[in-house]
Structure formats: structure tokens, C-alpha cells
Amino acid sequence: MTREFASLRGRRVDAWDGVEMALRENGPQFEDPRVPCLQLLSVRASLDDDSAVSVTTYQNDAVFGLVVRSEAQLDEGHWDGIYRVRQLTELPTGRVEQVAVVVDEGVLAEVRLLIDARPLLLMAGELHETVTGDLVFHRLDESVLAFTDPAAADRVSWTPPRRGHGCGHVGGGR
């Protein structure tokens, strides 16, 4: 799978779209200023040669990892409620200059892209809402988390820990 991500190097991303998953089900709420990423069921990059690739997750025993697939269409299905399909204009476009992958627990856990000098970090993970409305960041889970500021992922507390970081959450009690 690392080879598929590496094949993006030198290609041009013209646009991103995806199926976004709500951070909180009540509402549903898709945005929170304390959450430094997008939570996506899948994300698709439209490339300059009229092709597209999508990034999703797959399960390997107890953990999830990232996978990239060539596909022309985003599964637009009948998403509603806690899911919505939208253009992801906040993600960088342009030439993919660098691709770096992180393997953890035997799966592809993270992909760092540099696109026209702008970073993008994609991680297998998910935010879980607690009964008090707080959000706990989980690694190696079934969604794709997209950070346009990779340093923000370093400041988040992860369950299980990421590179020595402890457990934590983003407050949001009602």
C-alpha cells in the first residue's frame, strides 16, 4: 500500500471531495474550533489527468489502516444525518512534492503529503463523543482524519498514544 501512496509523487491534485462524518451526532455537528482536522469516511483527490484516487480505511484484526484506491467516482450514495458529501476546499491542491508514510501496528497509520509546499497529514483515526459531549481522539480507527497543520496532530492527545503522547480529549460538554 505504501507503493500506491508513493505513486502520487509528481502528480497534480486539482480538487478534493469526500464523505464527512459529524464530530457529534446531536445536530449533527460537523465543526468545532477545538478540532484541528476533518473527520472523513473517505476522501477523493481529483487528478490533472481526469483520474481520481480515494483514501479510505481497512481493518486488519483490531486496528484500521489507510488504503488508496483508483476510482473515478466518489460513492455519493444517500448520505444524510451524521454524513455529508462535500468539496474539501480547505485541503491543498497542486503538485504532490513529497509522500511519507508511517506504519504502526502492522498497518499504514499515516501519510504525510507536501502539495505545492503545503502539508497534508492523513491518519487512520476517529473522534469519539463521550456522554458529556467531549471528544476523544482515537488512532488506528475507521475514519480518515485530515490535518492541514500536521503539528496540530502532534499537540492532540491520542488513544492509544502516538509517539509517547498521553490520552486526552477535546472538551465540549453541553
Side-chain angles (χ1 to χ4, degrees), residues 1-9 53 67-69 99 108:
M1 282 175 251
T2 58
R3 181 180 43 219
E4 290 85 355
F5 279 104
S7 72
L8 294 175
R9 188 176 301 115
V53 295
V67 62
V68 64
R69 294 187 172 99
V99 178
L108 203 153

Side-chain angles (χ1 to χ4, degrees), residues 48-133:
D48 62 346
D49 63 357
D50 291 329
S51 68
V53 295
S54 65
V55 179
T56 59
T57 58
Y58 70 96
Q59 187 169 10
N60 180 15
D61 292 326
V63 297
F64 289 82
L66 298 173
V67 62
V68 64
R69 294 187 172 99
S70 297
E71 60 183 51
Q73 295 294 323
L74 180 69
D75 176 17
E76 298 200 15
H78 295 289
W79 302 106
D80 58 9
I82 65 166
Y83 299 101
R84 66 181 181 184
V85 175
R86 72 177 186 89
Q87 295 293 311
L88 303 170
T89 57
E90 55 269 74
L91 301 185
T93 57
R95 187 177 151 275
V96 178
E97 299 168 1
Q98 296 176 7
V99 178
V101 299
V102 173
V103 175
D104 191 7
E105 298 286 329
V107 297
L108 203 153
E110 304 180 16
V111 176
R112 290 179 182 259
L113 303 169
L114 187 63
I115 303 172
D116 271 356
R118 295 184 324 212
L120 176 62
L121 171 63
L122 302 175
M123 296 179 67
E126 192 163 315
L127 282 80
H128 293 212
E129 182 180 11
T130 66
V131 294
T132 61

Side-chain angles (χ1 to χ4, degrees), residues 118-165:
R118 295 184 324 212
L120 176 62
L121 171 63
L122 302 175
M123 296 179 67
E126 192 163 315
L127 282 80
H128 293 212
E129 182 180 11
T130 66
V131 294
T132 61
D134 292 343
L135 295 170
V136 179
F137 288 77
H138 285 261
R139 291 183 59 246
L140 306 174
D141 213 331
E142 61 189 304
S143 295
V144 178
L145 302 178
F147 292 83
T148 55
D149 175 9
D154 295 337
R155 293 187 296 270
V156 168
S157 296
W158 294 95
T159 302
R162 177 180 179 246
R163 297 185 200 146
H165 293 185

